[in-house]
Amino acid sequence: MSTFLYRLGRFCYRRKGVVIGGWLGVLVVVAVAALGLMKPFSSSTTIPGTEAQRTLDVLEKEFPPADRGHVTGKIVFRAADGKKITAGEPAKAVAEATRAAEGTRGVASVTPPSAVAGTVSADGRTGIAQVAFDAEKADGIQNATKQGLERAADGARAAGLTVELGGDAFATTPEVMGPGEVVGVLIALGVLVIVFRTLRSAIIPVATALVGVAIGVLSLLALTSVVTMDSTSIILAVMLGLAVGIDYALFIVSRHQSQVREGMDPEESAGLATGTAGGAVVFAGATVVIALAALAIVNIPFLTVMGLGAAATVVVSVLIAVTLLPAVLGLMGRRVVTSTVPVLARLSRRSEQKRVARSGPSLGERWAATTARRPWTVLITCVLGLGILAAPFTDLRLGLGGTADSHSSAARAQKLIDDGFGPGYSGALVVLVQGTDKATVASAAQHVASGIKELRGVSAVSVPVPAASGDAALVNVTPAGGPESEATTKLLGEIRDMRGGIEERTGTDVNVSGTTAVNIDVADKLSSALPVYCLLVMGLALVLLTVVFRAVAVPLKAALGFLFSLGSALGVLVAVFQWGWLSGPLGVDHTGPVLSFLPMLLVGILFGLAMDYEVFLVSRMREEYAHGTPPTEAMIRGFGHSAKVVTAAALIMIAVFGGFVLAELQVVKGMGLALAVGVLMDAFVVRMTLVPAVMTLLGHRAWWLPRFLHRILPNVDIEGERLMRQRATVQQPHPDRERQMAH
């Protein structure tokens, strides 16, 4: 592989105009495709083959909504203390506001608050007006329509009412590149300037990463025409594309810049950097892609799309790193090591003078030597520290709530509804009774309603509503707890447990569904699939690292270290988003269950990044050991070679992921925090502290491999050892040629 990448790097360097033009052409094509094919995002959560989803499909058929084909919203009114929206001036203000809303262009209908319909709270202070729009998707609602509804709400506010707009129509659409992401990119650029000591070289990884993100995201937007996609998929693609795109370019440019500074021809250096560092980039990218694509085994459509979309963006980032990047280096030539900024130029000269004059060990070598002197102390300290961080993980609860922007009107509207009607109002469970006889169905539905009323945790049970066909009836159950509460989850289980006797006596089928039931089923399915997914990823880690390092102990150590990193990230996630620790400084306004798909995404992404750092650190140790250096000394020398670039790469990852913590949407904030903490722990505690200590304790045993595996394992040559030997052979003069030249 290294030889192929070496030739590819040199080709792209020489044919820079063609390569750069080709990538710009791809960017234009996907941009045009996205503009022409892009469809609105979907926020639906489906779980094929489960009771909740099958029941929802039947409900759509037997009880078609009156506003089918229309996106809906809500206008929530709340009167002051001691007043009701059904009497006096508040009632007049509500009536005028609903009439004004119904007269707004783009609004199909408005249903005023009604006690009979259950849209007026028991105390009469809160009411909900249901709004149906002409558009079929929230993105299709014109700004003029929303402004008209705001004006209608302002009229009621002037009369002393609290009014908020909510529902699907007013859901927050996340920004692809918000202020937090920009801050993260700027911090990454600052790290690159420090590493390269030249602004133009620092800009290269950021520029190529942005090209990769643009191509990946625009491609996903074009695919919305044929694939149902959540907006979170785009955010994840941006997050990963930026982080890995900058990091992968950093590895290659750093190697290239060092070689050019040492006097190597720039074209040869670009090829060699692509063949060596590029090999590790391809391996690291492949592990991330495989782990993300494996999310499809859970068989939840939105999670499959999310994983495959992010994986596709990583593929683009890898291709950019091994093709476009060498071409850009071709444009730079030898200027890659020079700076036009006076301060950076002086810094570069001083650093080079210090490097030439240095006779002692580098900072990285000194750190590795320190851990080697007290390996047991370092090992025990790291394990205890990571264990403490991971402790909250034992209380992990999964759910699908808490994703809205807490500062939006939609979130404020939901708060008014929860306060006025109870937290279970918006998360009602729907019990569907099906049979072949109208009388039997009606009787069974009545028994179901009566039985549910006796259960704990029930706020209200509706009168059974028969379908027009007579073959079905539904019962709406309002839980006392919110959709994400443990009490509601327990209630769902009790309803499903009690139905058996009714089904046997009446010969009917009783199923439970509703948005809350679907969300609970998704969380349960993901909880049960998480261990299987972890085992799959861990098995992949062991196989791939055994092939790369041709050793058994190193892969086992890497996999266990990954578990520590994952545990600490999940522990921090539970402490912040579930327990509320540091929620104020981090802007977390809603605490509750952790987003159900977040642990799986974290496993897939962190696995790839952890293997990335493992390869760059340990491969240099293996190279030193293969040249006959004693194991501890090989560890110290190899660590010294890689520590600087791995430190910079980790800081860039943390900056990019940490920028997403500033996002308003809780789902984006959670992903950013978990990934930033995971990279921090994996890079600086596991890879750069725990790994040197464990390698010291293992000694020669770290590189042991059974003989039969020596014979059957392929030599993938990630670090380009074979390529380096070939170059050495080509550059070394042949003895016969030397004698001929002497004569």
Side-chain angles (χ1 to χ4, degrees):
M1 181 172 66
S2 60
T3 303
F4 168 75
L5 291 174
Y6 167 76
R7 293 171 179 168
L8 178 63
R10 294 198 63 170
F11 171 83
C12 294
Y13 188 97
R14 290 194 303 269
R15 301 289 188 268
K16 47 187 173 289
V18 175
V19 175
I20 294 173
W23 277 110
L24 290 178
V26 171
L27 180 59
V28 171
V29 169
V30 296
V32 172
L35 290 173
L37 301 175
M38 183 173 61
K39 295 291 180 66
F41 294 117
S42 171
S43 59
S44 62
T45 301
T46 59
I47 179 168
T50 62
E51 174 187 329
Q53 189 60 49
R54 289 195 305 268
T55 307
L56 275 184
D57 295 339
V58 175
L59 286 170
E60 282 286 316
K61 178 182 177 181
E62 295 286 352
F63 300 90
D67 54 11
R68 173 178 286 178
H70 299 277
V71 64
T72 59
K74 301 173 183 177
I75 306 176
V76 185
F77 303 91
R78 186 167 181 79
D81 290 338
K83 296 185 178 181
K84 298 182 179 181
I85 64 164
T86 54
E89 290 298 321
K92 181 179 178 182
V94 169
E96 291 177 354
T98 53
R99 282 196 298 270
E102 192 165 21
T104 301
R105 184 176 180 180
V107 173
S109 65
V110 178
T111 305
S114 167
V116 176
T119 53
V120 175
S121 62
D123 61 4
R125 287 185 59 199
T126 307
I128 304 172
Q130 304 286 353
V131 182
F133 295 86
D134 292 332
E136 296 183 4
K137 296 286 185 180
D139 288 0
I141 301 175
Q142 300 294 322
N143 287 331
T145 302
K146 293 183 178 181
Q147 291 168 1
L149 292 177
E150 282 288 353
R151 286 193 294 271
D154 287 339
R157 291 183 183 120
L161 298 179
T162 300
V163 186
E164 297 292 348
L165 306 179
D168 294 339
F170 299 96
T172 305
T173 301
E175 296 178 324
V176 175
M177 282 294 288
E181 294 87 318
V182 174
V183 170
V185 171
L186 291 177
I187 294 174
L189 181 61
V191 173
L192 291 169
V193 169
I194 295 173
V195 172
F196 294 135
R197 303 188 297 277
T198 162
L199 183 59
R200 59 165 66 98
S201 295
I203 291 175
I204 292 174
V206 175
T208 54
L210 288 175
V211 171
V213 167
I215 291 174
V217 169
L218 289 171
S219 299
L220 292 178
L221 291 176
L223 286 174
T224 56
S225 60
V226 293
V227 177
T228 300
M229 193 175 300
D230 189 275
S231 59
T232 308
S233 301
I234 302 298
I235 297 295
L236 181 62
V238 172
M239 189 183 298
L240 266 184
L242 277 176
V244 302
I246 295 175
D247 263 16
Y248 293 166
L250 164 66
F251 293 138
I252 296 174
V253 176
S254 176
R255 186 75 171 252
H256 172 67
Q257 192 186 51
S258 298
Q259 292 167 169
V260 174
R261 280 198 172 115
E262 292 170 359
M264 186 179 294
D265 175 69
E267 181 181 331
E268 177 68 12
S269 175
L272 187 60
T274 307
T276 52
V281 164
V282 171
F283 168 79
T287 55
V288 178
V289 168
I290 294 171
L292 288 172
L295 289 170
I297 66 170
V298 185
N299 194 29
I300 295 179
F302 81 90
L303 190 58
T304 299
V305 171
M306 195 178 296
L308 293 178
T313 305
V314 174
V315 170
V316 173
S317 297
V318 172
L319 293 176
I320 289 278
V322 297
T323 56
L324 179 61
L325 183 58
V328 174
L329 293 177
L331 287 179
M332 300 293 294
R334 290 193 176 276
R335 290 175 297 170
V336 75
V337 298
T338 61
S339 177
T340 56
V341 181
V343 174
L344 295 177
R346 288 195 299 271
L347 178 63
S348 181
R349 286 194 298 271
R350 290 174 184 173
S351 179
E352 184 65 17
Q353 290 168 359
K354 289 180 180 179
R355 185 188 68 82
V356 173
R358 184 190 299 135
S359 58
S362 64
L363 179 61
E365 290 173 323
R366 292 198 297 271
W367 173 255
T370 300
T371 61
R373 284 195 294 270
R374 296 180 179 83
W376 281 110
T377 302
V378 171
L379 175 63
I380 293 171
T381 303
C382 288
V383 170
L384 285 177
L386 291 170
I388 292 171
L389 278 178
F393 171 60
T394 57
D395 189 39
L396 176 68
R397 290 190 297 116
L398 300 180
L400 284 175
T403 61
D405 175 2
S406 58
H407 301 291
S408 66
S409 179
R412 293 193 295 269
Q414 187 60 52
K415 180 70 166 53
L416 291 178
I417 293 172
D418 291 344
D419 292 343
F421 294 86
Y425 180 84
S426 299
L429 301 173
V430 180
V431 182
L432 178 68
V433 181
Q434 292 177 273
T436 56
D437 179 74
K438 184 175 182 179
T440 302
V441 169
S443 175
Q446 191 60 52
H447 281 297
V448 167
S450 300
I452 293 175
K453 286 180 181 178
E454 302 299 321
L455 298 177
R456 294 183 61 183
V458 175
S459 176
V461 179
S462 72
V463 174
V465 179
S469 64
D471 296 334
L474 66 81
V475 178
N476 286 304
V477 181
T478 303
E484 297 295 327
S485 69
E486 292 184 80
T488 301
T489 302
K490 183 179 179 182
L491 176 62
L492 174 63
E494 290 177 347
I495 293 175
R496 286 174 171 171
D497 289 341
M498 64 164 280
R499 63 188 172 182
I502 297 175
E503 289 178 334
E504 290 180 4
R505 291 194 304 270
T506 61
T508 58
D509 292 325
V510 180
N511 295 289
V512 188
S513 188
T515 304
T516 298
V518 170
N519 291 349
I520 292 172
D521 284 353
V522 169
D524 289 344
K525 186 168 184 177
L526 287 171
S527 296
S528 60
L530 183 59
V532 177
Y533 181 68
C534 282
L535 288 175
L536 175 66
V537 171
M538 295 293 290
L540 176 66
L542 292 174
V543 172
L544 290 179
L545 290 180
T546 301
V547 172
V548 170
F549 294 120
R550 304 187 69 80
V552 174
V554 170
L556 287 173
K557 166 193 62 62
L560 290 174
F562 163 68
L563 286 180
F564 280 119
S565 304
L566 177 65
S568 61
L570 290 174
V572 170
L573 201 63
V574 170
V576 174
F577 284 86
Q578 196 170 303
W579 294 356
W581 292 7
L582 296 176
S583 58
L586 292 173
V588 179
D589 299 322
H590 173 83
T591 58
V594 172
L595 199 63
S596 57
F597 58 81
L598 196 53
M600 278 200 168
L601 286 178
L602 198 58
V603 170
I605 297 168
L606 272 185
F607 164 70
L609 302 181
M611 297 309 103
D612 188 347
Y613 301 141
E614 182 78 12
V615 168
F616 272 91
L617 277 174
V618 181
S619 59
R620 295 303 293 264
M621 300 177 190
R622 177 178 178 271
E623 185 178 339
E624 292 288 341
Y625 180 78
H627 291 160
T629 308
T632 301
E633 184 64 25
M635 180 276 292
I636 294 172
R637 290 185 184 178
F639 188 92
H641 283 300
S642 306
K644 180 180 176 181
V645 69
V646 170
T647 299
L651 290 175
I652 289 170
M653 285 276 187
I654 294 167
V656 173
F657 292 145
F660 286 85
V661 177
L662 302 177
E664 294 292 345
L665 287 181
Q666 299 297 294
V667 56
V668 178
K669 189 185 294 287
M671 283 195 296
L673 178 65
L675 289 172
V677 171
V679 170
L680 176 67
M681 293 298 109
D682 192 85
F684 294 107
V685 180
V686 174
R687 306 302 157 190
M688 301 189 71
T689 306
L690 199 56
V691 165
V694 174
M695 295 296 288
T696 300
L697 293 172
L698 289 174
H700 291 285
R701 290 167 294 184
W703 307 109
W704 175 78
L705 184 71
R707 290 183 179 179
F708 76 95
L709 288 179
H710 266 296
R711 293 192 299 269
I712 64 176
L713 288 180
N715 188 353
V716 294
D717 191 25
I718 289 292
E719 277 297 305
E721 294 177 18
R722 189 180 307 160
L723 173 62
M724 300 300 286
R725 288 196 299 269
Q726 291 174 355
R727 291 184 70 254
T729 301
V730 171
Q731 293 173 359
Q732 183 177 0
H734 195 278
D736 292 339
R737 190 178 305 137
E738 287 187 344
R739 284 194 293 269
Q740 291 173 3
M741 291 175 64
H743 290 297

